[in-house]
Structure formats: structure tokens, C-alpha cells
Amino acid sequence: MSDLYTKSLSEIRTRLLAREVSAEEAVSSCLARIDATEPKIQALLNLQREEALATAKAMDAAGPDADKPLWGVPVTVKDVLCTKDVTTTCGSKILGNFKPFYDAYAVRKLKEAGAVIIGKTNMDEFAMGSSTENSAFHPTRNPWDLSRVPGGSSGGSAASVAASQAFGSLGTDTGGSIRQPASLCGCVGMKPTYGRVSRYGMVAYGSSLDQIGPMTRTVEDNARMLQVIAGHDPKDSTCSERAVPDYLAALGRDSLKGVRIGLPAEFWGKGLDPEVEAACASALNQLKDLGAEPVEVSLPHSPYAIAVYYIVAMAEASSNLARFDGVRYGYRDADADELLDIYVKSRSKGFGDEVQRRIMLGTYVLSSGYYDAYYRKAAQVRRRIREDYEKALSQCDVLCGPASPVSAWKVGELTDDPLKMYLMDIYTISLNLAGLPGLSLPVGLGKDSGMPLGLQLLGKAFDEATIYSVAHALEKVTPSIGTPAGL
């Protein structure tokens, strides 16, 4: 049973329910894999070894429950999601000892579905970054090449899944933080429609942009996890009351005849690495062979997306992170003498450089005299970006393009150039501004780099089912990229 960790989530679920495998055996297999790989990749911030084994033993004693779609399946969750009585740091020193008294909605839904949470994954501090190098604790390494980054900010989740430490993981996506690391680590990552999954219990970065989503090794596994966490939550006023469709029912088609695939001109031009372009073009040809019809479309305001995102996101971050003041919870500097000292010293020592940079920029664009010039204008262009997507998607069923302009870069290569780092999200950011769903899936390995390369499929609001349908059909005809070469 030692190789159980190599199975897909769907396969291990079937074997668990058939009593071919016990929950304890599944958890033990993943824990052994963590012991073997974690010293190399450092994907986790918290390992719940004893708690997970105790939960698995109790589940085995009660017996399999077919009504629980993830019964006995070991998973990890990003450390930005609150977990009751388990440290939730957001990758920051300012929350180094914070233990929530409740579970995030998505975490609770996983537990209700029978999943066993075995650990919390590393991340860029407060989800601010594209490489998981901004974690206050340690960087995470890419399982395919330990000298390279896994992407971010959900790099710990992506690395955990790619290294088979768990059968699935929850990440969060504010500007591509699920899709980009999924692409760089060779796994499947879904950013659902804004409002499809409750954000209750997620520590906020950009409230109008953040969304929780699953990261897995296959499209079917991904659909299973989203089926569990999606749905209305009255504790989140932005969570949609729309019924959740059966995502698994959308899988299985062998032909894409009649499906129109939109190709935004802005996603296939200058700045795209040749090996990424080649892999995505090959995947597009496979979609054509399956019967899909390519359609040329345009997203004319997408060149402004990065500027708009870093105004809107930083403004919201400035507001959201004001609560971490050294007074109510989190880190408080012991040398502070008065109230202003508490604020300044606690936030200066508790927050990392990137978080401080974004708070300052956000405060600036919201300040008197600059609000209209920056934030208001960004909000107006954001609406134009959404309208571009709506127009493009009125001409097709899904949009198609690369998830990242490059394969994973070397650790430390971009840490001194934050503007260049921001450009790594050029193909993902605009979707968050529009609030629409998107999925990244692996479509090959780079000819020169040997690293995973991802294709992104983007869809209409609350139409994740169509994305899954197309992605699953493509996955079936795409050769497997195999297992990470760096482990």
C-alpha cells in the first residue's frame, strides 16, 4: 500500500469506499510521502500528523460513507484559510501564533464531505507574490526542479499536489494565484467564478478579487473538489445563491464538435516564451482535432490589466490589512511604549517587504487628491475589461491561451525586480478583474527547460461545467507529463 499516494483522487476514493484501502492507509501513505519529499520542497507550514491519523482511524471504525464524496481522502489547504484550533499564519510573522476558533466555509465543507486535512501549505505572505518566495518562513521549491520556484501565491498547494503529498489541495486566486502555480508545477487548478465559493474564513487580500479553488492532478479530481466546496453561504454576502450544477456530469465527452474556442489576440503575441507558445499551439491543434472550432476574438483593454489590478488590489489590501495592528491579535512588538509605537513597530516587524510595499501603494492611491486620478480611473477601466470578456464570450464557448508567459524561473532570479515579477501574471490577472472562471491544465514539458507548461481555459460566469467539459476532453488526448523529475 506504500504507493497509494500515486493514485488519483477519484481512484483512491473508489478504493476507499470499496474497503480495498482504509482511510488510515491512505493517510499513512501521504504522510510517508511528505516525510520523503518535504525536506526538499518545503511545501508545508503545518503538518497535522497525529490529528489526521486519529481522524482516519475513527472513520475506519465507523466504516465508509458513500454519501460523503471525499470520504477518507487526504488533502491539504492553503494557510490563508482558517482552520479551527490549528495555526493559520498566511505566511506572515504577524500571524505566527494565530489559532482561529472556527473553520473557513470551504474547509468545513471538505470535512463534511469526509476529507482528511493533513496539513497547511506555504504561500506568499498574505497571498502577495508570484513565486512563494515572499513567505516569512521559507521559500517552496518546484518538485520538477528544486532550483526553480513553484509559482505563487498558492505555490505550496501546487507543489504539495505535484509531489503527491496529498490528493488535492485548496488554493486561492486573487490575480492568478491558483492557475499560475498549477501551470508551473504541472497540475490542474480552477479559479471559480467570483461568488461561486464562499470566502468566509479566508483572510482577505483583495476582497473583490479573491476566490478559493481546488488544485488536483486531474480534471475529474478537480471537478469533484469544486462540487464539494461550491454553493451558497449566508455568512458571505457576495456568495451567489445560484444552484450548483453537477460538474461530473459534464465530463466524458469524446468530441468537441460545435464547441467554439476563442483565441484572444492579446494572449498569443509578443512576450510569450517560444516553448510555451509551442505547447499551447499543440494543445490547440488537439482541440481542433476533437472538433472544436477556433474563433479569433479580442480583449482590447487587457494591456491595462496589470496597472488596474495593482491599483485595485493594493487599495483593497491597504484597507484589509489595517486590522493587523498589534492590538487585537497577532504579533505585538515588546518594545513599544505607546499606542503609535505599537502600530509602527508591530507592523514594521510583522509584515515583510512586499506586503509593506503594497500597503503603502494602496494607501497612496486611496488618499485625498489621488483617489480620482488612480482608484476611480482603475475602477472604470476594470468595467471595460469585464465588457471585453463578455463580448468575446458571446462569440464562443470558452477562451483559450497560456496560463503563464514562461516556465518556472530560478529561485531568486526575480526577487530584486518586483515589476518584472508582477508581469508573470499578465495572462491571469484580467480574469479576476472580470470575476469569471478559469482553469489551468498541463499540456506538455518545455523542450529546453524540461518544466511543465500550462494552458488556460476561461469561461462565462458560473459556467465552470463547460470549462471542465473541454478540459477533460483535452486531457484524455494529451500525453501525460509524468512525475516530477526533481524528487
Side-chain angles (χ1 to χ4, degrees):
M1 295 295 180
S2 60
D3 66 342
L4 288 176
Y5 64 83
T6 64
K7 311 303 180 184
S8 70
L9 183 153
S10 298
E11 183 177 353
I12 201 69
R13 171 186 178 273
T14 300
R15 296 183 67 177
L16 282 163
L17 293 179
R19 293 181 181 266
E20 296 175 8
V21 173
S22 69
E24 184 180 0
E25 287 172 333
V27 169
S28 295
S29 180
C30 288
L31 291 175
R33 180 63 173 171
I34 288 171
D35 291 339
T37 60
E38 188 58 13
K40 299 176 183 178
I41 63 173
Q42 294 189 293
L44 303 178
L45 289 177
N46 181 296
L47 180 60
Q48 298 161 248
R49 183 188 302 273
E50 300 306 321
E51 298 89 340
L53 286 170
T55 298
K57 289 178 181 177
M59 295 175 72
D60 286 332
D65 187 344
D67 292 330
K68 294 184 176 181
L70 298 179
W71 189 90
V73 177
V75 299
T76 57
V77 298
K78 188 176 180 179
D79 204 32
V80 74
L81 299 175
C82 287
T83 42
K84 185 178 180 181
D85 299 327
V86 176
T87 304
T88 299
T89 70
C90 297
S92 178
K93 289 182 180 178
I94 208 163
L95 285 177
N97 297 312
F98 175 58
K99 290 187 178 181
F101 56 87
Y102 67 99
D103 284 325
Y105 176 85
V107 172
R108 178 168 63 84
K109 296 296 285 184
L110 284 181
K111 290 181 177 179
E112 290 175 353
V116 181
I117 296 174
I118 60 175
K120 305 289 292 292
T121 57
N122 195 21
M123 57 182 285
D124 286 302
E125 185 178 6
F126 285 101
M128 298 181 187
S130 302
S131 64
T132 316
E133 293 172 286
N134 290 333
S135 169
F137 304 104
H138 53 73
T140 294
R141 305 279 174 157
N142 194 308
W144 287 86
D145 181 342
L146 300 178
S147 70
R148 297 177 184 267
V149 301
S153 62
S154 303
S157 292
S160 176
V161 170
S164 300
Q165 293 183 343
F167 297 98
S169 187
L170 291 186
T172 63
D173 194 312
T174 305
S177 290
I178 287 175
R179 291 161 288 148
Q180 184 253 26
S183 173
L184 269 52
C185 288
C187 54
V188 178
M190 166 64 87
K191 179 256 174 210
T193 307
Y194 184 80
R196 179 77 287 177
V197 179
S198 169
R199 292 181 296 111
Y200 176 76
M202 171 188 173
V203 181
Y205 161 23
S207 299
S208 71
L209 303 161
D210 298 336
Q211 191 57 204
I212 300 165
M215 306 181 78
T216 57
R217 292 195 287 275
T218 72
V219 173
E220 180 182 349
D221 294 351
N222 203 277
R224 287 188 185 280
M225 285 193 72
L226 183 60
Q227 194 77 59
V228 167
I229 64 172
H232 177 62
D233 175 17
K235 292 181 179 178
D236 178 1
S237 61
T238 64
C239 191
S240 174
E241 295 185 19
R242 292 194 189 200
V244 179
D246 185 345
Y247 296 126
L248 293 172
L251 308 181
R253 62 189 301 173
D254 296 319
S255 170
L256 294 179
K257 186 175 182 179
V259 175
R260 295 167 298 168
I261 306 290
L263 305 177
E266 294 77 10
F267 284 13
W268 294 86
K270 184 179 178 182
L272 185 59
D273 186 273
E275 68 175 17
V276 177
E277 184 175 20
C280 290
S282 175
L284 179 59
N285 286 332
Q286 289 175 312
L287 289 170
K288 292 178 185 176
D289 290 343
L290 289 169
E293 175 190 353
V295 178
E296 297 289 338
V297 297
S298 179
L299 302 172
H301 291 91
S302 60
Y304 307 108
I306 287 182
V308 170
Y309 173 84
Y310 280 102
I311 290 173
V312 173
M314 291 184 191
E316 294 183 5
S318 171
S319 176
N320 280 324
L321 271 62
R323 72 193 70 177
F324 304 109
D325 53 13
V327 175
R328 286 161 288 191
Y329 51 83
Y331 173 78
R332 178 187 290 195
D333 186 67
D335 298 326
D337 297 323
E338 57 184 13
L339 185 61
L340 185 58
D341 255 2
I342 292 175
Y343 293 156
V344 174
K345 291 182 177 179
S346 298
R347 289 167 67 82
S348 296
K349 295 179 182 179
F351 289 137
D353 290 344
E354 183 61 28
V355 174
Q356 291 187 44
R357 180 185 294 118
R358 297 192 187 199
I359 289 174
M360 288 190 292
L361 286 170
T363 302
Y364 176 80
V365 301
L366 289 176
S367 61
S368 177
Y370 297 100
Y371 177 89
D372 286 337
Y374 293 102
Y375 187 78
R376 179 188 290 273
K377 181 60 66 175
Q380 291 171 336
V381 179
R382 179 182 187 176
R383 180 61 199 171
R384 295 294 188 187
I385 290 172
R386 166 100 184 188
E387 290 170 350
D388 287 348
Y389 271 103
E390 290 173 344
K391 182 177 179 181
L393 285 164
S394 70
Q395 304 169 49
C396 58
D397 299 292
V398 295
L399 302 178
C400 173
S404 170
V406 297
S407 60
W409 55 94
K410 297 285 186 178
V411 173
E413 186 177 345
L414 301 179
T415 51
D416 294 329
D417 191 345
L419 292 179
K420 193 171 183 179
M421 185 78 81
Y422 296 165
L423 290 173
M424 295 300 103
D425 298 327
I426 190 168
Y427 296 130
T428 57
I429 275 175
S430 60
L431 194 73
N432 295 78
L433 293 168
L436 301 176
L439 177 143
S440 173
L441 76 161
V443 291
L445 297 176
K447 182 178 179 181
D448 298 322
S449 67
M451 297 300 291
L453 306 172
L455 182 78
Q456 188 177 198
L457 296 172
L458 317 176
K460 301 170 185 175
F462 300 100
D463 193 18
E464 290 84 0
T466 297
I467 295 175
Y468 279 135
S469 177
V470 175
H472 190 249
L474 176 60
E475 182 184 57
K476 288 192 295 183
V477 298
T478 301
S480 170
I481 62 172
T483 56
L487 297 178

